[in-house]
């Protein structure tokens, strides 16, 4: 049996049938031609945003948070598939610090102190339905969902190095309407700049 399909206009002639290759164990042999997120980005479905200034994080036990937050409005009709989360500390720690992602239902939309949302198809594409910013009030203390990095100090008030982290979430977390996600601190408060990249898909 042969598995065939119609190829696009790049490469072979448009509409020409091509044969798909199989491996020794009937496994389908494929190669990654385009960058991983090219198709969704080209379709204008991917968005990104970051802080426009360093923000101090609030401890996770507090409902009113500061940092960077991605909120999906109730009735948006879309799910947000989180693709990437980046956090870069900009200040010394006064003790051990752990930065992570927290989520929950939100009451007040995020503030506007951010660059974005920007369509990742830069200079074009549809507008995002997301609320993104440096402040957000959850209905209750948010839930720590995903630890990202821990910082440490050698002597009090002097951190060993400025540290950052990139978490390629790759769609493993979905923010439905009425929910929000953002950076938070578990122990000592940290300060820095965050970034989110996400995919908006109709429900």
């Amino acid at each position: 049996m042969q598995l065939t399909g119609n190829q696009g206009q790049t490469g072979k002639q448009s509409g020409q049938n091509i044969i798909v290759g199989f491996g020794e164990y009937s496994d389908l042999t494929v190669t990654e031609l385009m960058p991983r997120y090219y198709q969704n980005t080209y379709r204008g479905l991917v968005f990104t945003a970051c802080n426009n200034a360093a923000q101090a994080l609030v401890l996770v036990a507090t409902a009113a948070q500061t940092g960077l937050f991605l909120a999906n409005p109730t009735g948006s009709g879309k799910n947000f598939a989180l693709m990437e989360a980046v956090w870069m500390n900009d200040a010394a720690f006064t003790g051990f610090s752990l930065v992570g992602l927290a989520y929950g239902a939100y009451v007040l939309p995020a503030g506007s102190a951010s660059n974005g949302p920007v369509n990742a198809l830069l200079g074009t594409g549809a507008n995002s339905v997301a609320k993104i910013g440096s402040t957000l009030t959850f209905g209750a203390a948010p839930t720590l969902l995903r630890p990202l990095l821990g910082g440490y100090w050698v002597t009090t008030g002097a951190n060993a190095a400025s540290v950052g982290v990139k978490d390629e979430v790759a769609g493993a977390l979905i923010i439905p309407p009425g929910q929000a996600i953002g950076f938070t601190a578990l122990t000592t408060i940290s300060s820095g700049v965050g970034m989110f990249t996400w995919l908006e898909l109709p429900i």
Side-chain angles (χ1 to χ4, degrees):
M1 183 183 78
Q2 290 182 339
L3 180 64
T4 62
N6 292 325
Q7 195 224 22
Q9 64 181 9
T10 303
K12 293 183 181 293
Q13 183 178 351
S14 180
Q16 179 179 348
N17 288 333
I18 56 177
I19 298 174
V20 176
F22 288 92
E24 182 179 356
Y25 303 101
S26 297
D27 46 314
L28 181 63
T29 303
V30 297
T31 60
E32 187 172 325
L33 174 63
M34 295 295 184
R36 183 176 304 174
Y37 302 124
Y38 179 85
Q39 291 290 343
N40 283 322
T41 302
Y42 183 72
R43 288 175 168 82
L45 303 175
V46 178
F47 299 88
T48 187
C50 68
N51 292 116
N52 60 11
Q55 299 291 328
L57 299 181
V58 176
L59 298 183
V60 68
T62 306
Q65 294 274 319
T66 61
L68 183 69
F69 301 92
L70 171 61
N72 189 347
T74 301
S76 71
K78 296 186 178 182
N79 281 329
F80 298 171
L82 190 60
M83 298 166 62
E84 295 174 330
V86 174
W87 180 262
M88 176 63 69
N89 277 319
D90 79 324
F93 309 120
T94 56
F96 178 80
S97 178
L98 188 147
V99 175
L101 293 177
Y103 84 100
Y106 71 95
V107 177
L108 296 178
S112 59
S114 67
N115 294 318
V118 173
N119 195 301
L121 185 59
L122 300 177
T124 184
N127 293 328
S128 171
V129 300
K131 299 289 186 181
I132 186 92
S134 60
T135 63
L136 185 136
T137 301
F138 289 95
T143 300
L144 183 65
L145 183 66
R146 199 174 178 104
L148 296 180
L149 67 87
Y152 65 96
W153 48 268
V154 177
T155 58
T156 301
N159 57 319
S162 295
V163 292
V165 64
K166 173 184 175 181
D167 185 357
E168 188 174 13
V169 183
L173 298 175
I174 294 177
I175 302 99
Q179 297 288 310
I181 195 167
F183 296 97
T184 192
L186 183 62
T187 52
T188 302
I189 295 173
S190 297
S191 177
V193 173
M195 185 277 284
F196 286 124
T197 303
W198 67 96
L199 176 67
E200 296 187 7
L201 292 172
I203 297 175

